[in-house]
Amino acid sequence: MFKRMPKIVLAMLAQGLALALLALLVLLASHIIAPPYPFWLLVMVQGVLAAFLSCRLGLPCWWRWIQFALPVGLYWGLQLEINPIWALLIFVLIWLIFSNAIKERVPLYLTNNTTREALKKLARKRRKVRFLDLGCGLGGNVVYMAQQPNVARADGVETAPIPYLISKFYTLMRGGDVYAMDLWNTDLSSYDVVYAFLSPEPMPKLWQKVAEEMTPGSVFVSNSFAVPDVEPSEVWELDDKRKTQLYLYFR
Ligand SMILES: C[S@@+](CC[C@H](N)C(=O)[O-])C[C@H]1O[C@@H](n2cnc3c(N)ncnc32)[C@H](O)[C@@H]1O
């Protein structure tokens, strides 16, 4: 039942249950040691209980660090009289960078150099390549591919505001083009190599788009996330630390 709930609701539920448990513990403890108890101790216990419950309720276990830090951070924020506007500013900044983590379940992380070299190798087998990075992050792949001699055009699309602005500026300085466009609205038919480094979530829907729009002779490359139930034409396992797998789908 819990697994189907949105993660943010589960996280709030864990904090609520932790608070109820804490109240019970305080009630029991009051029979042994007379209250009041130090606030810092209550806050620590709240954090530990919420972290423990988060894992038990089915949130990914790394959330326990956030769940612990939340009450403890609030407590210290109040103790140190930090202006709450900072929390708002940090939230807005995170949203401007990672908005697609909420909307599309695709956060921002970047392609490494070994993978870029593999893309170069793939492009080298072709002439006048038109390359597209779907969700181009900070624009590194677009610039790199734009600088390859056999690449005629390197484009990227990005909707998260800060990554878009950075990639736009970077490509203006170093080559390639970036558009503030949702990847679902791009026309894939004019590209020979379409690259995506997204998450498991959009892959089935993205495959439909690839199958409808990409033309014969082109290739769709997905970093790390295979299309479910579709046999890739080739899988390249790269010699980097994370043993990156590139799934190649020739059209
Ligand atoms: C994992 S990052 C990869 C960044 C870059 N392609 C790279 O490999 O270094 C995925 C990027 O896709 C962007 N993204 C997610 N959904 C998108 C959408 N619907 N339209 C455009 N960009 C999107 C995210 O904002 C994020 O920057």
Side-chain angles (χ1 to χ4, degrees):
M1 171 182 119
F2 292 126
K3 291 231 153 126
R4 265 186 266 131
M5 282 187 186
K7 291 194 171 46
I8 193 74
V9 176
L10 271 182
M12 280 157 60
L13 184 67
Q15 290 288 351
L17 285 175
L19 192 63
L21 265 177
L22 179 65
L24 193 67
L25 283 177
V26 166
L27 198 68
L28 292 175
S30 65
H31 295 293
I32 307 165
I33 308 166
Y37 308 112
F39 267 130
W40 65 264
L41 181 65
L42 297 177
V43 166
M44 293 290 278
V45 176
Q46 167 77 24
V48 170
L49 287 174
F52 172 75
L53 286 169
S54 301
C55 251
R56 308 295 300 176
L57 291 179
L59 273 175
C61 277
W62 58 267
W63 275 64
R64 64 187 154 193
W65 301 110
I66 302 174
Q67 290 287 71
F68 176 74
L70 201 70
V72 176
L74 271 176
Y75 172 73
W76 282 110
L78 289 170
Q79 284 298 104
L80 301 173
E81 294 183 6
I82 295 172
N83 191 329
I85 197 79
W86 283 108
L88 181 65
L89 286 178
I90 291 171
F91 172 79
V92 171
L93 186 69
I94 290 175
W95 187 84
L96 290 173
I97 299 173
F98 293 106
S99 49
N100 281 318
I102 301 162
K103 215 174 82 200
E104 300 275 2
R105 303 190 66 81
V106 179
L108 173 68
Y109 32 76
L110 303 176
T111 292
N112 61 25
N113 282 337
T114 314
T115 309
R116 283 193 188 138
E117 275 164 29
L119 289 175
K120 176 166 96 177
K121 189 172 144 198
L122 183 69
R124 214 187 285 142
K125 295 178 179 165
R126 295 152 183 266
R127 285 179 35 213
K128 294 195 175 168
V129 173
R130 293 160 302 170
F131 170 85
L132 174 66
D133 187 356
L134 289 171
C136 65
L138 306 183
N141 300 332
V142 179
V143 168
Y144 181 86
M145 292 305 279
Q147 292 173 349
Q148 304 311 315
N150 56 329
V151 171
R153 179 173 154 195
D155 293 341
V157 291
E158 178 58 60
T159 46
I162 289 184
Y164 165 71
L165 288 177
I166 293 175
S167 58
K168 187 76 194 168
F169 183 69
Y170 191 26
T171 49
L172 278 174
M173 305 298 289
R174 307 288 295 274
D177 272 309
V178 168
Y179 303 93
M181 188 190 282
D182 196 306
L183 67 85
W184 302 113
N185 297 334
T186 52
D187 176 9
L188 306 182
S189 64
S190 43
Y191 295 96
D192 309 297
V193 179
V194 173
Y195 173 72
F197 187 18
L198 299 169
S199 82
E201 188 80 9
M203 295 316 290
K205 187 174 160 199
L206 184 55
W207 176 250
Q208 280 180 16
K209 186 171 170 61
V210 165
E212 276 166 27
E213 295 177 18
M214 288 189 72
T215 52
S218 61
V219 54
F220 171 61
V221 185
S222 176
N223 184 339
S224 305
F225 308 109
V227 179
D229 305 322
V230 179
E231 192 66 31
S233 317
E234 286 177 22
V235 180
W236 291 6
E237 184 172 303
L238 307 184
D239 194 17
D240 55 4
K241 246 199 229 155
R242 61 188 289 272
K243 295 281 164 225
T244 296
Q245 297 215 309
L246 287 185
Y247 297 93
L248 273 57
Y249 301 86
F250 294 111
R251 307 298 305 135

